[in-house]
Amino acid sequence: MRISRILRAGLVALALACATLSSDESAPLVDCSMTGAKLEYDHDHLMRMQQDSNGDGRIDRIFSYEGGQLRWVQLDTDFDGVPDYEVQFSPGSVPVSWTPRELARILPSLQPPPAEDCLTRREVSDYLSELRIRMYSRWRPSGAGQAELRFSLASSGEVTSACLVSTNDRSFGAAAIHALFGSSPFGQMPAPVACIADHPLVGNFAAN
């Protein structure tokens, strides 16, 4: 069924949607959503999906499928019109021939979430609370709002990627992302905290 194929394609692309940004205020705001996706079909089979993830009018992500399964992805991570990364997938849409550390910077959501007991550790809670305090000390939003971000951290405490899941105001969301990058690094993770390194995290940030 066509709708189910679109949904499956969207879920796969959502997992690939985070991109590395710099702390430069001019860095493009990257959505975690599938806004702007163009889908191409051969009869009932999805063949290709193209996306302009930063809204500059140029395709920067191309997803190719065979038999309804994702086989390779091309990514233009610096938005210059030339692909920087190509990720190949085996049958079953499993990524192969990739360096985990490097891809964690570009595609953190390819990594599994932290272990179930990880986020319940007091040391992890304390570390993320300090992250929030430091981020809020740097954040200067122009008004009230909320933003939900997906991001990842290296074990050094450096923010390696972030994208916007939802917000009531895009400028507010952009300010949140820039504040997160600008507050980085947050310090070397102690051993009990390192379980969150290079795994996708989600945080809600708000200002009154």
Side-chain angles (χ1 to χ4, degrees):
M1 182 177 179
R2 185 181 177 89
I3 299 240
S4 64
R5 293 184 185 278
I6 293 175
L7 177 58
R8 285 200 299 271
L11 291 175
V12 171
L14 179 62
L16 300 173
C18 288
T20 300
L21 301 177
S22 72
S23 58
D24 185 343
E25 289 298 321
S26 64
L29 174 61
V30 178
D31 286 323
C32 300
S33 68
M34 277 304 298
T35 302
K38 177 182 178 182
L39 306 176
E40 298 178 13
Y41 287 85
D42 178 14
H43 301 292
D44 289 334
H45 294 288
L46 178 65
M47 294 182 59
R48 184 188 311 208
M49 178 163 51
Q50 301 180 75
Q51 185 186 19
D52 171 17
S53 67
N54 70 336
D56 67 356
R58 293 192 294 188
I59 297 299
D60 49 60
R61 295 193 177 107
I62 301 176
F63 305 83
S64 293
Y65 297 80
E66 292 180 4
Q69 295 186 334
L70 182 65
R71 296 309 303 267
W72 59 266
V73 177
Q74 286 184 317
L75 303 169
D76 175 13
T77 59
D78 57 7
F79 309 112
D80 64 355
V82 179
D84 307 301
Y85 291 86
E86 180 172 314
V87 185
Q88 295 185 348
F89 295 79
S90 68
S93 301
V94 178
V96 295
S97 301
W98 52 288
T99 305
R101 172 64 180 159
E102 182 61 19
L103 275 186
R105 296 179 61 86
I106 308 301
L107 305 174
S109 294
L110 280 178
Q111 303 289 349
E116 289 186 10
D117 69 331
C118 177
L119 296 179
T120 62
R121 298 177 185 176
R122 194 178 82 176
E123 296 91 342
V124 171
S125 178
D126 290 345
Y127 188 91
L128 294 178
S129 293
E130 181 62 26
L131 177 150
R132 183 178 293 271
I133 290 170
R134 289 185 55 180
M135 175 186 166
Y136 274 96
S137 70
R138 187 181 180 92
W139 195 9
R140 298 291 184 271
S142 58
Q146 67 80 30
E148 182 178 357
L149 308 183
R150 182 182 296 123
F151 61 96
S152 63
L153 305 168
S155 59
S156 63
E158 176 189 4
V159 177
T160 54
S161 66
C163 62
L164 184 64
V165 177
S166 65
T167 184
N168 64 325
D169 183 285
R170 284 182 61 81
S171 62
F172 186 92
I177 285 182
H178 291 307
L180 182 64
F181 273 99
S183 304
S184 172
F186 298 99
Q188 184 70 34
M189 294 180 183
V193 179
C195 61
I196 65 173
D198 296 327
H199 293 290
L201 303 169
V202 175
N204 289 283
F205 304 92
N208 297 321

